[in-house]
Amino acid sequence: MKNGVKRIGIMTGGGDCPGLNAVIRAVVMMADKYGVEVIGIPYGYRGMLLGGDYFHKLTCEDVQGIIEKGGTILHSSNKDNLFKYPRRNKEGFEHDENGKLIYDNFSETAVQNLRDAGIDAMIIVGGDGTLTSGRDYSRMGVPVVGVPKTIDNDLRSTEITFGFDTAVSRCVQAVESVRTTGEAHSRVMFIEVMGRNAGHIALHTAISSGADVVLIPEIPYHFDKLVAELRRRLERNGTAIVIVSEGVTPPEKGAYSTKIVEGSPDAVRFGGVSGVIADYVERALNADRDENGYAISEVLMDVECRATNVGYAQRGGVPTANDRLLSTRFGAFAVKELLENLVLDEKGNFGRMVSVQENRLTSVSLEEVIASSTMIGNQRRVDPEGELVQLARNVQISFADE
Ligand code: F6P
């Protein structure tokens, strides 16, 4: 073993994602093989601040049987940036006289806690916000290897993240269940999937489930075209499936409001837009009737629309084999980086992130990852001219845009 790394800390931050436990397991197994100890830090960065007894050694026994489990045995948090930690009081968050949150910086305490625990380097598993802090800890002299995760698959610095495959599989299963009830009642079924401002989950789900229409944030839809397209599908098939990415806009401004999570790096939370769109579509389809008063036909006199949100079911539960494999590769590679490639830069720092480039595992500089993406608001989104969008169009999945 080179570089004197004898004890590695590991934590998971941000929203959870199927495959996190497989990463933890791979880290522990690989480190053990090389005689290196792993210390689990629970509750994301909050655990780093708590320190002491909250840090605990992870053994091979501790990680038995977790590869197939969703969630994370280390727990997670997506609003505990210790560099900008919202101050709390009895009422919740503390605000200044202008109503702005008051922040403290506890990063020095966290680094001291790592030193006190004899941790030589950190493996930080997380998305945008978590890895930005990871970069900041590496600047404070803590060697860091980041492991990227998100079901949204929208990080610019890696071609693929684990969790995405499971999320898509879960959404496709949901479509299959919803489809039969939609057929039974001759309804238009809207299925809402996650992804924030990126439509990857929706697009992959639509193609893999053979949906009729897909609405993604990258390709604005026209409401009238959506209604006309669904009318055509109903006339032909008597039912229709619409996949809705949670980040699309409703037909009318103000018809739907998102949730704001104070203290979170990207405070906007989506969820529920499909129900609003379904109601608008139902009204429009029934508003336009023939001389008999039928919305579509004598069978489909009135059209009903229903919305289902796959929600957190797509983020939890058993990871697919592909995600377990990718997570295991990421975890083992992160340890390898620390044991074989830990070379300090001219400032005495080390910060890398595991990445897939041209289908191969490699590592990239955390500094560059964060600088190039400026993270929030600069995600890798669906290319409207890309191969998958063209494929969807070729198999007659409509984006209701043309
Ligand atoms: O970024 C992953 C993700 O699951 C998004 O797809 C979703 O919009 C968001 O997290 C939900 O976040 P939270 O767990 O804070 O509700």
Side-chain angles (χ1 to χ4, degrees):
M1 186 203 22
K2 297 184 203 164
N3 306 319
V5 173
K6 296 194 181 66
R7 190 173 284 168
I8 297 173
I10 180 168
M11 56 145 285
T12 51
D16 75 327
C17 172
L20 288 172
N21 281 327
V23 174
I24 297 167
R25 177 179 178 276
V27 166
V28 172
M29 300 302 271
M30 171 97 171
D32 180 72
K33 184 168 150 81
Y34 290 95
V36 172
E37 253 180 29
V38 177
I39 303 296
I41 298 176
Y43 308 112
Y45 287 120
R46 191 162 5 121
M48 239 160 95
L49 179 61
L50 293 168
D53 290 345
Y54 282 95
F55 292 7
H56 56 274
K57 190 175 167 198
L58 288 173
T59 65
C60 295
E61 289 72 41
D62 293 327
V63 296
Q64 286 313 299
I66 67 166
I67 195 168
E68 66 268 39
K69 292 212 171 98
T72 157
I73 59 165
L74 290 175
H75 305 275
S76 192
S77 161
N78 61 6
K79 44 181 183 187
D80 285 298
N81 175 2
L82 301 182
F83 293 86
K84 210 178 160 204
Y85 201 64
R87 197 180 293 172
R88 275 117 170 137
N89 60 24
K90 270 205 315 213
E91 278 84 46
F93 291 116
E94 203 170 314
H95 298 85
D96 64 15
E97 59 279 7
N98 301 316
K100 295 237 164 71
L101 289 174
I102 301 173
Y103 295 102
D104 292 305
N105 182 344
F106 290 123
S107 57
E108 293 282 358
T109 314
V111 171
Q112 191 54 49
N113 285 339
L114 297 180
R115 291 204 182 106
D116 291 348
I119 291 171
D120 302 309
M122 282 296 300
I123 292 178
I124 295 179
V125 192
D128 311 350
T130 307
L131 293 179
T132 303
S133 286
R135 185 269 323 259
D136 295 340
Y137 287 110
S138 77
R139 284 178 175 175
M140 294 172 77
V142 178
V144 171
V145 175
V147 175
K149 65 89 231 177
T150 168
I151 62 164
D152 304 338
N153 204 25
D154 61 350
L155 299 183
R156 286 199 179 276
S157 40
T158 180
E159 284 164 11
I160 181 94
T161 48
F162 60 87
F164 176 67
D165 189 58
T166 306
V168 171
S169 304
R170 210 78 90 230
C171 294
V172 170
Q173 278 167 11
V175 175
E176 278 155 16
S177 304
V178 164
R179 178 179 272 130
T180 53
T181 159
E183 283 167 356
H185 290 271
S186 306
R187 286 172 171 161
V188 180
M189 304 304 272
F190 290 75
I191 292 107
E192 180 171 326
V193 305
M194 286 183 167
R196 299 189 66 85
N197 295 309
H200 301 289
I201 297 179
L203 181 58
H204 283 242
T205 299
I207 295 172
S208 307
S209 64
D212 292 283
V213 179
V214 60
L215 307 181
I216 59 173
E218 295 87 344
I219 304 182
Y221 66 94
H222 301 293
F223 183 70
D224 293 345
K225 286 184 180 153
L226 174 61
V227 174
E229 188 62 44
L230 288 172
R231 182 171 284 281
R232 244 195 321 276
R233 305 279 172 154
L234 285 168
E235 281 165 358
R236 193 176 71 190
N237 306 327
T239 181
I241 295 283
V242 185
I243 310 299
V244 181
S245 185
E246 63 177 1
V248 302
T249 46
E252 270 182 51
K253 243 184 153 185
Y256 152 81
S257 67
T258 48
K259 179 180 159 79
I260 301 295
V261 178
E262 241 187 346
S264 172
D266 196 353
V268 180
R269 291 295 181 281
F270 299 96
V273 71
S274 61
V276 177
I277 300 174
D279 286 347
Y280 273 81
V281 167
E282 184 176 285
R283 277 199 293 278
L285 284 170
N286 291 308
D288 196 11
R289 292 169 184 270
D290 66 15
E291 63 279 5
N292 301 310
Y294 301 156
I296 306 288
S297 67
E298 60 184 4
V299 175
L300 273 165
M301 291 170 59
D302 307 304
V303 181
E304 289 188 319
C305 297
R306 293 287 189 271
T308 302
N309 193 343
V310 187
Y312 292 88
Q314 68 204 287
R315 218 168 76 178
V318 175
T320 59
N322 274 339
D323 275 341
R324 296 182 205 188
L325 184 66
L326 189 59
S327 305
T328 302
R329 290 174 72 203
F330 275 18
F333 195 88
V335 175
K336 188 163 171 260
E337 276 294 285
L338 288 176
L339 300 191
E340 292 182 4
N341 297 326
L342 201 166
V343 179
L344 301 181
D345 65 17
E346 63 287 353
K347 292 183 182 148
N349 301 331
F350 178 83
R352 306 291 295 176
M353 188 192 86
V354 180
S355 165
V356 176
Q357 305 284 339
E358 292 174 5
N359 221 8
R360 295 186 55 197
L361 266 189
T362 181
S363 82
V364 289
S365 145
L366 254 186
E367 285 289 347
E368 281 169 26
V369 165
I370 308 301
S372 69
S373 72
T374 56
M375 292 311 193
I376 293 159
N378 188 21
Q379 286 82 5
R380 188 176 61 82
R381 303 177 77 199
V382 170
D383 175 5
E385 309 302 327
E387 186 218 324
L388 285 189
V389 169
Q390 194 50 52
L391 172 66
R393 293 193 196 278
N394 286 345
V395 295
Q396 298 192 32
I397 296 171
S398 169
F399 291 83
D401 63 324
E402 54 184 25

